[in-house]
Amino acid sequence: MGVTLIKNVRKYIDGQYFIENIDVAFNDRVKCIGECNDYSYDEVIEASNYIALPTLNDHYVYLYDYLHRLGLNKDNLSRNDVSKTIETICLEKILNGISGIFIDLGYTTYSVTLQGICKYMEILLGQRVNHEVINTYTCRYIPVIDDKTDPNNLPSLLKEIEKEVIYIMFLIERRHPYVIKEKTGLWPMAFLEKSGVFGLNKYYYFIGLNWISTMDLEVLKYYRDQSSIISLPSKTMYIANGGFSPLYEIMEKYRVRVFLGTSGLNSSILNEARQTILLYRYNYWDRRLSIEYIRKIIFQQEHRLFHNNSLEKGSFANIALYNTYISKSHDPLHSLIFNEVHPVYVFIKGCKIVDPRNRIDLINRYRDLLVEIID
């Protein structure tokens, strides 16, 4: 692979500022940041008007939520429909600077083939499990246990699953903590602790946690080395009417990792970051969830399954270039989030996937796929 040079770009740095007018040279990995004069380049991009960020990961997209958002019918989907829908998700995400996606296929039992632009991206596929389908189709994919599972069956179900990383939909609606208390006699996290769920050699990603109490968090903090939370701000507003998921306390007091997903209800992680801030300020009347915490959520934390994208020497060249106005009175990330920007260029492992010339072609491909699925 040849070497590409991005010249005179602004590189976003943690701590509320950019490094101005630096060069970034890369093939599949970043080879140089700063003054890069030691290579011969196959392509040079003049980027004095651009901001360079690592590409982002969408940690949870639910196939049926995505179909619902687009007004498509989830019933009687063929294998071809599922593959085409996944390709539309990939196109939408890459156009928004996202290179990694976790897609929950629900109870869809087709063997899915990744096609088109998905082949360049980091795609993880999840499959809902219960006692009927476990150890068959599910073993090929990452297991997802949904909120319809009887909590009393959860410990035995988890013991049967061979995978070490498991996604669990938990406390999505306001009634769920009380349902678990009624069925088990314990509040949710206390039940998971007492039933031995946290004693298994597994790592849990709790999806949603729209309604979680301080009591539950006091338990969860002791198991933060084997669990994280995937927050879905748009879905929280949609299904839980704001809910109660105190991300500031979860991160600052209880030191539990938080990641963002869209559930398919939003196209961009930057948009979900904005939703997170607005949700916290205007539903919880709390301004402590600052842009510093948002930066940590979307850039700075290790995930068990995804590569942690960063723009440092030696890292994979997963780079998005944005062209936007940056306010001098705010953290630059604040401007990126609230200006609803889309990247002009996207590179994945050094391959140029999006540029000004092919962007319209990708959008047209996205529209054509939607028409094919609807028809």
Side-chain angles (χ1 to χ4, degrees), residues 340-373:
E340 296 193 43
V341 295
H342 304 277
V344 181
Y345 289 88
V346 178
F347 297 88
I348 299 180
K349 293 185 179 179
C351 294
K352 185 168 59 178
I353 309 298
V354 179
D355 66 25
R357 290 174 294 181
N358 76 347
R359 186 177 182 85
I360 296 300
D361 293 336
L362 294 174
I363 292 172
N364 289 336
R365 172 61 179 161
Y366 171 79
R367 291 172 177 168
D368 291 343
L369 281 168
L370 292 181
V371 171
E372 291 174 25
I373 296 166

Side-chain angles (χ1 to χ4, degrees), residues 94-132:
I94 200 67
L95 288 165
N96 282 281
I98 294 167
S99 63
I101 320 168
F102 181 96
I103 303 175
D104 178 0
L105 299 176
Y107 285 99
T108 302
T109 55
Y110 295 119
S111 180
V112 175
T113 301
L114 297 178
Q115 55 194 30
I117 207 166
C118 298
K119 296 176 183 177
Y120 295 93
M121 303 172 70
E122 189 174 10
I123 308 297
L124 304 175
L125 298 176
Q127 163 68 29
R128 301 290 175 97
V129 300
N130 55 38
H131 287 289
E132 285 72 41

Side-chain angles (χ1 to χ4, degrees), residues 279 285 337:
L279 173 68
W285 298 103
I337 288 171

Side-chain angles (χ1 to χ4, degrees), residues 9 25-26 43 54 93 154-155 162 166 192 213 250 266-267 269 309 312 315 319-320 372:
V9 74
F26 58 89
E43 181 178 8
K93 298 304 178 183
L154 186 59
E162 297 177 359
I166 300 172
L192 296 183
S213 68
I250 289 170
N266 205 332
S267 59
I269 285 295
N309 294 335
E312 306 295 339
S315 65
I319 303 169
E372 291 174 25

Side-chain angles (χ1 to χ4, degrees), residues 202-255:
K202 299 185 184 298
Y203 194 95
Y204 305 109
Y205 285 99
F206 291 107
I207 306 166
L209 288 189
N210 295 335
W211 294 97
I212 186 164
S213 68
T214 302
M215 290 184 296
D216 285 325
L217 288 172
E218 287 291 343
V219 175
L220 187 61
K221 74 178 181 181
Y222 292 107
Y223 303 100
R224 59 195 174 203
D225 290 337
Q226 67 177 106
S227 57
S228 296
I229 294 169
I230 298 176
S231 179
L232 311 172
S234 290
K235 189 156 190 172
T236 300
M237 294 296 290
Y238 176 73
I239 200 171
N241 194 25
F244 184 69
S245 184
L247 298 184
Y248 172 82
E249 285 84 355
I250 289 170
M251 296 175 68
E252 181 66 22
K253 181 177 179 181
Y254 300 104
R255 303 294 179 181

